């Protein structure tokens, strides 16, 4: 079986904890050729941990002709620069969310990938967890009846003050970080034909949005209520309120590979609790990515990326902005 030769740009925490171990576990499909950092010590640490080559400076990794694909776990504000360079160097790109700082930037990168016939994928790994298959089956079987409302929340307590998520230039803010998941879930379940009907963003002293809310409406008139933040009690869920009940996924976006998750289905006088076995959404995502690279379905994710970026931009542009 052909192995895809992949490189990593940046020694990010998410790369170390979850993504590189997932890629390494698929060693019949991927070979990690190297890991690049801005600093030698970090590059060497990561490279020795994952037994690969270290590169100082992202350009030096991109110069390697034998690397076919790169994983980019950099802050969103750096994506346009490094995705453009990676595509110009002829590499497929899998990039962390959020893909772009705004719709215009997303469009530029997609156009370049299209012209180069190279794959671009935004890492929304949660879609690859089996708990959502259960939800889709309930929807397809009409167990919910008519859906009246979709709601999703993703937020967590304050981060270290030096975290890039508080830096506007690096693409910080809760909308592009946690809010992006809630938008992505709504687009997945309620359809891509959606408009933003209202939004509110609350800005802290570092001039980035630290929490917010948005309301979307789909082509059938069904509303999604989305809430997100960096200054919140931890929540990571979505739910449907329908004519037959309320279906809740309490740990929607971040289940750990060894974690059993639960789904709750509340009906009149009855609560059904469904246990879902642990699943590794990162491994599942890279399996999917592999299939698309080897079968050259390079444009598979373009439309999803553009719709997601458009909604995020519209939420920001139209938001009532409140300074805290
Ligand atoms: N899919 C998921 O489940 C998931 C979960 C968490 C985060 N994420 C996403 O993954 C990305 C990384 O998040 P993280 O929490 O892992 O971040 P992190 O540990 O802070 O890593 C960011 C990396 O970016 C590089 N970088 C380059 N220029 C930088 C700058 N000026 N300031 C800060 N870092 C810079 C650094 O690598 P070097 O120093 O080695 O060059 C750093 O290690 C973000 O886009 C985030 O939204 C995704």
């Amino acid at each position: 079986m052909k192995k895809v030769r992949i490189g990593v740009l940046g020694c990010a925490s998410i790369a170390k904890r979850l993504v590189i171990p997932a890629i390494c576990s698929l060693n019949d499909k991927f070979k990690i050729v190297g890991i690049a950092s801005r600093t030698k010590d970090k590059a060497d640490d990561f490279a020795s941990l994952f037994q690969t080559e270290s590169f100082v400076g992202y350009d030096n990794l991109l110069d390697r002709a034998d690397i076919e694909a790169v994983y980019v776990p950099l802050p969103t504000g750096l994506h346009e620069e490094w995705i453009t360079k990676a595509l110009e160097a002829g590499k497929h790109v899998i990039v962390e969310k959020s893909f772009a700082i705004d719709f215009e930037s997303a469009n530029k990168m997609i156009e370049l990938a299209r012209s180069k016939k190279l794959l671009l994928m935004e890492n929304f790994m949660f879609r690859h967890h089996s708990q959502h298959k259960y939800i889709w089956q309930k929807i397809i079987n009409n167990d919910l009846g008519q859906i009246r409302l979709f709601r999703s929340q993703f937020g967590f307590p304050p981060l270290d003050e030096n975290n890039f998520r508080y830096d506007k230039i690096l693409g910080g803010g809760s909308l592009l970080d946690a809010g992006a998941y809630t938008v992505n879930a709504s687009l997945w379940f309620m359809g891509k034909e959606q408009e933003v009907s209202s939004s509110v963003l609350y800005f802290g002293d570092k001039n980035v949005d630290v929490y917010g809310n948005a309301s979307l409406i789909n082509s059938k008139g069904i509303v999604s209520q989305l809430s997100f933040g960096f200054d919140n009690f931890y929540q990571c869920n979505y739910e449907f309120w329908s004519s037959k009940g309320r279906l809740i996924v309490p740990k929607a976006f971040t289940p750990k590979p060894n974690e059993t998750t639960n789904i709750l289905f509340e009906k009149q006088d009855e609560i059904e609790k469904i246990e879902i076995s642990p699943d590794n959404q990162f491994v599942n995502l890279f399996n999917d990515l592999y299939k698309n690279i080897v079968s050259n379905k390079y444009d598979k994710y373009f439309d999803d990326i553009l719709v997601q970026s458009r909604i995020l931009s519209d939420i920001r542009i139209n938001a009532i902005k409140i300074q805290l």
Side-chain angles (χ1 to χ4, degrees):
M1 185 155 61
K2 173 192 159 58
K3 283 194 190 185
V4 172
R5 296 173 63 82
I6 192 164
V8 179
L9 297 188
C11 295
S13 154
I14 181 71
K16 183 178 183 179
R17 287 183 290 116
L18 291 157
V19 177
I20 303 178
I23 303 173
C24 290
S25 76
L26 297 170
N27 58 9
D28 56 332
K29 298 190 172 95
F30 291 97
K31 167 153 180 62
I32 301 193
V33 180
I35 298 179
S37 173
R38 294 165 300 167
T39 52
K40 182 169 170 23
D41 285 356
K42 260 205 222 173
D44 288 348
D45 279 356
F46 264 55
S48 90
L49 188 62
F50 297 108
Q51 295 171 358
T52 184
E53 201 175 324
S54 79
F55 292 81
V56 182
Y58 308 147
D59 281 313
N60 288 323
L61 187 147
L62 293 179
D63 282 346
R64 275 282 289 263
D66 60 334
I67 294 178
E68 306 164 69
V70 285
Y71 165 58
V72 181
L74 301 175
T76 298
L78 301 175
H79 286 178
E80 188 176 322
E81 176 184 358
W82 290 104
I83 291 175
T84 303
K85 286 183 179 174
L87 293 171
E88 294 289 4
K91 326 272 185 225
H92 301 293
V93 176
I94 166 152
V95 61
E96 276 305 337
K97 36 57 60 179
S98 272
F99 180 76
I101 213 126
D102 57 27
F103 177 68
E104 202 191 338
S105 170
N107 211 13
K108 259 195 246 168
M109 291 184 265
I110 296 285
E111 282 311 307
L112 181 59
R114 213 185 284 284
S115 72
K116 299 262 178 202
K117 295 193 167 26
L118 288 167
L119 180 143
L120 262 183
M121 183 195 204
E122 185 175 15
N123 191 16
F124 278 112
M125 69 292 139
F126 79 90
R127 288 194 181 199
H128 298 268
H129 195 285
S130 52
Q131 64 177 342
H132 312 293
K133 279 194 192 134
Y134 182 88
I135 299 295
W136 273 112
Q137 209 49 58
K138 281 254 180 256
I139 295 171
I140 290 162
N141 294 348
N142 200 29
D143 291 340
L144 298 184
Q146 292 178 346
I147 295 169
R148 306 286 186 223
L149 178 71
F150 178 83
R151 184 183 288 154
S152 179
Q153 298 164 310
F154 190 12
F156 36 82
L159 303 154
D160 182 288
E161 61 174 354
N162 296 318
N163 194 294
F164 74 80
R165 289 165 178 82
Y166 293 118
D167 187 327
K168 194 172 159 67
I169 305 291
L170 291 176
S174 63
L175 171 63
L176 288 182
D177 194 67
Y181 286 89
T182 65
V183 167
N184 201 269
S186 169
L187 293 172
W188 194 24
F189 289 109
M190 308 308 289
K192 289 195 242 180
E193 279 182 41
Q194 299 213 52
E195 298 300 329
V196 177
S197 47
S198 71
S199 53
V200 188
L201 293 174
Y202 298 81
F203 289 79
D205 53 11
K206 290 180 193 263
N207 206 20
V208 296
D209 53 285
V210 286
Y211 57 96
N213 302 289
S215 198
L216 312 185
I217 183 159
N218 76 1
S219 55
K220 293 181 182 150
I222 306 173
V223 167
S224 293
Q225 292 175 345
L226 313 176
S227 300
F228 42 88
F230 290 157
D231 194 12
N232 300 51
F233 169 68
Y234 191 92
Q235 290 289 289
C236 170
N237 59 43
Y238 67 77
E239 68 177 54
F240 301 84
W241 187 14
S242 73
S243 55
K244 291 195 185 166
R246 189 159 76 110
L247 184 64
I248 308 162
V249 182
K251 191 74 178 279
F253 305 123
T254 59
K256 296 192 176 61
N258 57 0
E259 186 175 351
T260 299
T261 51
N262 292 302
I263 289 170
L264 304 173
F265 193 21
E266 288 181 12
K267 288 171 276 187
Q268 204 63 45
D269 305 323
E270 185 192 343
I271 299 182
E272 195 185 338
K273 184 173 169 186
I274 303 105
E275 218 173 73
I276 308 283
S277 304
D279 195 18
N280 190 327
Q281 52 194 10
F282 292 90
V283 169
N284 298 342
L285 177 138
F286 273 88
N287 266 319
D288 191 49
L289 177 72
Y290 178 82
K291 271 191 249 147
N292 290 315
I293 291 180
V294 295
S295 58
N296 202 25
K297 290 200 181 128
Y298 66 90
D299 57 356
K300 164 124 190 259
Y301 310 104
F302 290 175
D303 191 47
D304 284 351
I305 291 174
L306 287 173
V307 174
Q308 168 87 13
S309 297
R310 177 179 67 78
I311 295 285
L312 288 173
S313 278
D314 286 353
I315 289 175
R316 179 182 304 288
I317 292 163
N318 297 315
I320 294 172
K321 298 177 179 73
I322 296 180
Q323 187 65 47
L324 296 169

